[in-house]
Amino acid sequence: SLDIKIHDEDADPREKALKATLQTTHGKFSFSNGNGEHMNILTFEGTSSTINKAIENLSYTPDQDYHGAAQINIQVQDSGDALGDALSTSKIINLEIESVNDAPTTLSLDENEVTEEALQGTKVGKLTTFDVDAEDTEHQFNFRLPDGSTADSFKGFRIEGSELLVDDSINF
């Protein structure tokens, strides 16, 4: 949740109508209740107290898989004085979005057939996966077969590097 408060610093004791615009880069605003989910620009009109009430449950969520610099730009304009002169101000809030280590996805095996009498060490296929956090395409992954109750499903196979191999002669 963001702790943003809008107020008019004029000496005029009357609360004037304000227009507040909040805009963000590399993310979206949302509210814990109400409408306006996942927008990157919001505009509110009303007194400072009504605008503050409207934004009290405002949150910012960075774009998925984004990390780096981001900003929230706040612009506020009042409705002017007796002469009609409107005043405005703006504020930029700089954010630094840190990287989150996402789990690799899309595990695949390029070949999935092996002859029934394949010998120990016969290559079944190559395992590949995708990791959005990998800085290069040659990123190394450690593959392993599951332990425990599901291990019987993989009996007769082993993994070396990224290759699935026959571990025992296959003869059914």
Side-chain angles (χ1 to χ4, degrees), residues 1 8 19 55 57 60 65-66 70 76 105 152 162 169:
S1 180
D8 188 353
K19 180 178 179 180
I55 64 175
N57 294 313
Y60 167 82
D65 299 320
Y66 177 77
V76 180
T105 59
D152 286 342
S162 62
S169 293

Side-chain angles (χ1 to χ4, degrees), residues 5-22:
K5 301 289 184 222
I6 306 294
H7 61 278
D8 188 353
E9 295 183 1
D10 286 352
D12 190 342
R14 298 174 294 131
E15 263 202 291
K16 296 183 212 171
L18 302 173
K19 180 178 179 180
T21 302
L22 288 77

